[in-house]
Amino acid sequence: MHISESDKAIPFYQGVFDWQIKRKEEGYYNVFDHRNEHITDIKEISETYKGKYNYWICTFGVENLSKTKDKILQNGGRQVMQENDRTLFTDNSNEAFFYLQEV
């Protein structure tokens, strides 16, 4: 999850899902489920870099990133940013997801 203020989000997810969230380093947290299995991470990123969105980085591997981009744009989504080998898009309800071309 990319967020601006971890102190606001962490209590919510601990309360709703009973997750244990442990600080790994400044602004970076590991998230563990009730079985103490590492399930995801939280990274604190300034709004200057990430924009107005707080988002889970759900990443989809696709066969052809260019064709996927065209479909997303044709269906009301938009490209937010390009980061190395993955691209962040929003759907038509402004939910954000990363897509990358499978290797």
Side-chain angles (χ1 to χ4, degrees):
M1 178 177 204
H2 283 174
I3 56 176
S4 299
E5 300 176 78
S6 58
D7 60 327
K8 291 182 179 179
I10 287 173
F12 173 81
Y13 289 103
Q14 286 174 321
V16 172
F17 298 110
D18 196 29
W19 287 346
Q20 298 302 311
I21 300 174
K22 300 175 185 170
R23 183 177 168 189
K24 182 176 180 180
E25 59 190 60
E26 183 65 34
Y28 190 83
Y29 302 84
N30 295 133
V31 181
F32 300 87
D33 67 11
H34 66 281
R35 294 179 300 249
N36 203 33
E37 293 179 12
H38 180 233
I39 56 172
T40 193
D41 298 303
I42 294 174
K43 184 163 176 71
E44 202 167 271
I45 297 177
S46 75
E47 286 189 17
T48 303
Y49 175 73
K50 70 172 187 53
K52 65 182 178 179
Y53 301 100
N54 288 310
Y55 48 83
W56 285 102
I57 307 173
C58 182
T59 303
F60 296 99
V62 296
E63 288 183 28
N64 186 307
L65 189 56
S66 180
K67 287 182 181 179
T68 301
K69 176 183 177 178
D70 291 343
K71 286 182 183 180
I72 291 169
L73 298 176
Q74 290 169 6
N75 286 287
R78 69 180 187 84
Q79 182 175 337
V80 177
M81 66 179 281
Q82 177 73 42
E83 178 184 273
N84 300 324
D85 62 343
R86 61 187 186 168
T87 307
L88 181 65
F89 294 99
T90 62
D91 63 17
N92 60 0
S93 66
N94 284 325
E95 299 297 326
F97 302 96
F98 272 109
Y99 292 82
L100 60 87
Q101 187 153 331
E102 290 182 310
V103 289

Short mmCIF file of all heavy atoms in Angstrom, two decimals, residues 3 6-7 10 21-32 38 40-44:
data_model
loop_
_atom_site.label_atom_id
_atom_site.label_comp_id
_atom_site.label_asym_id
_atom_site.label_seq_id
_atom_site.Cartn_x
_atom_site.Cartn_y
_atom_site.Cartn_z
N ILE A 3 0.87 5.05 0.89
CA ILE A 3 0.06 6.01 1.64
C ILE A 3 0.92 7.19 2.06
O ILE A 3 2.14 7.11 2.07
CB ILE A 3 -0.59 5.36 2.89
CG1 ILE A 3 0.47 4.75 3.79
CG2 ILE A 3 -1.62 4.34 2.49
CD1 ILE A 3 -0.07 4.18 5.08
N SER A 6 0.97 6.89 7.44
CA SER A 6 0.78 5.52 7.94
C SER A 6 0.09 5.50 9.30
O SER A 6 -0.67 4.57 9.59
CB SER A 6 2.11 4.79 8.02
OG SER A 6 3.02 5.48 8.86
N ASP A 7 0.29 6.52 10.11
CA ASP A 7 -0.32 6.53 11.44
C ASP A 7 -1.84 6.59 11.38
O ASP A 7 -2.52 6.22 12.34
CB ASP A 7 0.23 7.68 12.28
CG ASP A 7 -0.01 9.06 11.69
OD1 ASP A 7 -0.01 9.18 10.45
OD2 ASP A 7 -0.17 10.01 12.47
N ILE A 10 -2.71 2.49 9.51
CA ILE A 10 -2.33 1.28 10.24
C ILE A 10 -3.38 0.86 11.27
O ILE A 10 -3.79 -0.30 11.29
CB ILE A 10 -0.93 1.41 10.83
CG1 ILE A 10 0.11 1.32 9.70
CG2 ILE A 10 -0.66 0.35 11.89
CD1 ILE A 10 1.54 1.59 10.11
N ILE A 21 1.23 -5.24 12.12
CA ILE A 21 2.02 -4.40 11.22
C ILE A 21 3.27 -3.99 11.96
O ILE A 21 3.22 -3.37 13.01
CB ILE A 21 1.19 -3.20 10.75
CG1 ILE A 21 -0.06 -3.71 10.01
CG2 ILE A 21 2.03 -2.28 9.88
CD1 ILE A 21 -1.05 -2.66 9.61
N LYS A 22 4.40 -4.39 11.39
CA LYS A 22 5.69 -4.18 12.04
C LYS A 22 6.56 -3.28 11.19
O LYS A 22 6.73 -3.51 9.99
CB LYS A 22 6.38 -5.52 12.27
CG LYS A 22 5.57 -6.44 13.15
CD LYS A 22 6.19 -7.81 13.26
CE LYS A 22 5.26 -8.72 14.06
NZ LYS A 22 5.68 -10.11 14.03
N ARG A 23 7.11 -2.27 11.82
CA ARG A 23 7.99 -1.34 11.12
C ARG A 23 9.29 -2.03 10.75
O ARG A 23 9.96 -2.61 11.60
CB ARG A 23 8.27 -0.13 12.00
CG ARG A 23 9.10 0.90 11.34
CD ARG A 23 9.26 2.09 12.25
NE ARG A 23 10.29 2.96 11.72
CZ ARG A 23 10.78 3.98 12.36
NH1 ARG A 23 10.34 4.27 13.57
NH2 ARG A 23 11.71 4.71 11.82
N LYS A 24 9.62 -1.98 9.48
CA LYS A 24 10.87 -2.56 9.00
C LYS A 24 11.97 -1.51 9.02
O LYS A 24 13.09 -1.76 9.41
CB LYS A 24 10.69 -3.13 7.60
CG LYS A 24 11.90 -3.81 7.04
CD LYS A 24 11.62 -4.44 5.70
CE LYS A 24 12.90 -5.11 5.18
NZ LYS A 24 12.68 -5.73 3.89
N GLU A 25 11.64 -0.34 8.55
CA GLU A 25 12.53 0.82 8.54
C GLU A 25 11.65 2.05 8.43
O GLU A 25 10.44 1.95 8.29
CB GLU A 25 13.54 0.73 7.38
CG GLU A 25 12.87 0.65 6.01
CD GLU A 25 13.85 0.33 4.90
OE1 GLU A 25 14.49 -0.73 4.95
OE2 GLU A 25 13.95 1.16 3.98
N GLU A 26 12.26 3.21 8.47
CA GLU A 26 11.50 4.45 8.42
C GLU A 26 10.59 4.48 7.19
O GLU A 26 11.05 4.36 6.06
CB GLU A 26 12.44 5.65 8.37
CG GLU A 26 11.74 6.99 8.38
CD GLU A 26 10.98 7.28 9.66
OE1 GLU A 26 11.44 6.85 10.74
OE2 GLU A 26 9.93 7.93 9.58
N GLY A 27 9.27 4.58 7.42
CA GLY A 27 8.30 4.68 6.34
C GLY A 27 7.99 3.39 5.61
O GLY A 27 7.32 3.41 4.59
N TYR A 28 8.44 2.26 6.14
CA TYR A 28 8.22 0.97 5.46
C TYR A 28 7.82 -0.06 6.50
O TYR A 28 8.49 -0.23 7.51
CB TYR A 28 9.51 0.53 4.76
CG TYR A 28 9.34 -0.65 3.84
CD1 TYR A 28 8.87 -0.48 2.54
CD2 TYR A 28 9.63 -1.93 4.27
CE1 TYR A 28 8.70 -1.57 1.70
CE2 TYR A 28 9.48 -3.02 3.43
CZ TYR A 28 9.02 -2.83 2.15
OH TYR A 28 8.85 -3.90 1.32
N TYR A 29 6.70 -0.76 6.23
CA TYR A 29 6.13 -1.69 7.20
C TYR A 29 5.82 -3.02 6.53
O TYR A 29 5.37 -3.05 5.39
CB TYR A 29 4.84 -1.13 7.79
CG TYR A 29 5.02 0.21 8.45
CD1 TYR A 29 4.99 1.39 7.71
CD2 TYR A 29 5.22 0.29 9.82
CE1 TYR A 29 5.16 2.63 8.33
CE2 TYR A 29 5.40 1.52 10.44
CZ TYR A 29 5.37 2.68 9.68
OH TYR A 29 5.55 3.89 10.29
N ASN A 30 6.03 -4.10 7.25
CA ASN A 30 5.60 -5.43 6.81
C ASN A 30 4.27 -5.73 7.48
O ASN A 30 4.06 -5.39 8.65
CB ASN A 30 6.60 -6.52 7.21
CG ASN A 30 7.94 -6.36 6.53
OD1 ASN A 30 8.96 -6.44 7.18
ND2 ASN A 30 7.97 -6.16 5.23
N VAL A 31 3.36 -6.38 6.75
CA VAL A 31 2.03 -6.70 7.25
C VAL A 31 1.90 -8.22 7.33
O VAL A 31 2.19 -8.93 6.37
CB VAL A 31 0.94 -6.12 6.33
CG1 VAL A 31 -0.45 -6.43 6.88
CG2 VAL A 31 1.13 -4.61 6.16
N PHE A 32 1.44 -8.71 8.49
CA PHE A 32 1.29 -10.13 8.75
C PHE A 32 -0.16 -10.43 9.11
O PHE A 32 -0.79 -9.67 9.83
CB PHE A 32 2.20 -10.57 9.91
CG PHE A 32 3.66 -10.31 9.63
CD1 PHE A 32 4.24 -9.08 9.92
CD2 PHE A 32 4.45 -11.29 9.07
CE1 PHE A 32 5.58 -8.83 9.66
CE2 PHE A 32 5.79 -11.07 8.80
CZ PHE A 32 6.36 -9.83 9.10
N HIS A 38 3.59 -13.24 6.29
CA HIS A 38 3.79 -11.95 5.63
C HIS A 38 2.90 -11.90 4.39
O HIS A 38 3.03 -12.74 3.50
CB HIS A 38 5.27 -11.81 5.24
CG HIS A 38 5.58 -10.53 4.56
ND1 HIS A 38 6.23 -10.48 3.37
CD2 HIS A 38 5.33 -9.24 4.90
CE1 HIS A 38 6.38 -9.22 3.00
NE2 HIS A 38 5.84 -8.45 3.91
N THR A 40 1.77 -8.60 2.85
CA THR A 40 1.92 -7.40 2.04
C THR A 40 2.82 -6.42 2.76
O THR A 40 3.32 -6.70 3.85
CB THR A 40 0.54 -6.77 1.70
OG1 THR A 40 0.70 -5.78 0.68
CG2 THR A 40 -0.12 -6.16 2.92
N ASP A 41 3.00 -5.25 2.18
CA ASP A 41 3.80 -4.19 2.79
C ASP A 41 3.08 -2.87 2.67
O ASP A 41 2.22 -2.69 1.81
CB ASP A 41 5.16 -4.07 2.08
CG ASP A 41 5.98 -5.33 2.20
OD1 ASP A 41 6.23 -5.78 3.32
OD2 ASP A 41 6.37 -5.87 1.14
N ILE A 42 3.46 -1.96 3.54
CA ILE A 42 2.98 -0.58 3.47
C ILE A 42 4.20 0.31 3.32
O ILE A 42 5.18 0.14 4.03
CB ILE A 42 2.20 -0.19 4.75
CG1 ILE A 42 0.91 -1.01 4.86
CG2 ILE A 42 1.90 1.31 4.77
CD1 ILE A 42 0.15 -0.79 6.16
N LYS A 43 4.13 1.24 2.38
CA LYS A 43 5.22 2.18 2.17
C LYS A 43 4.66 3.59 2.23
O LYS A 43 3.70 3.91 1.55
CB LYS A 43 5.90 1.94 0.83
CG LYS A 43 7.10 2.84 0.62
CD LYS A 43 7.98 2.31 -0.48
CE LYS A 43 9.13 3.23 -0.79
NZ LYS A 43 10.15 3.29 0.20
N GLU A 44 5.27 4.39 3.08
CA GLU A 44 4.86 5.78 3.20
C GLU A 44 5.58 6.59 2.12
O GLU A 44 6.80 6.55 2.03
CB GLU A 44 5.23 6.29 4.59
CG GLU A 44 4.43 7.48 5.02
CD GLU A 44 4.59 7.75 6.49
OE1 GLU A 44 3.83 7.19 7.29
OE2 GLU A 44 5.50 8.53 6.82
#
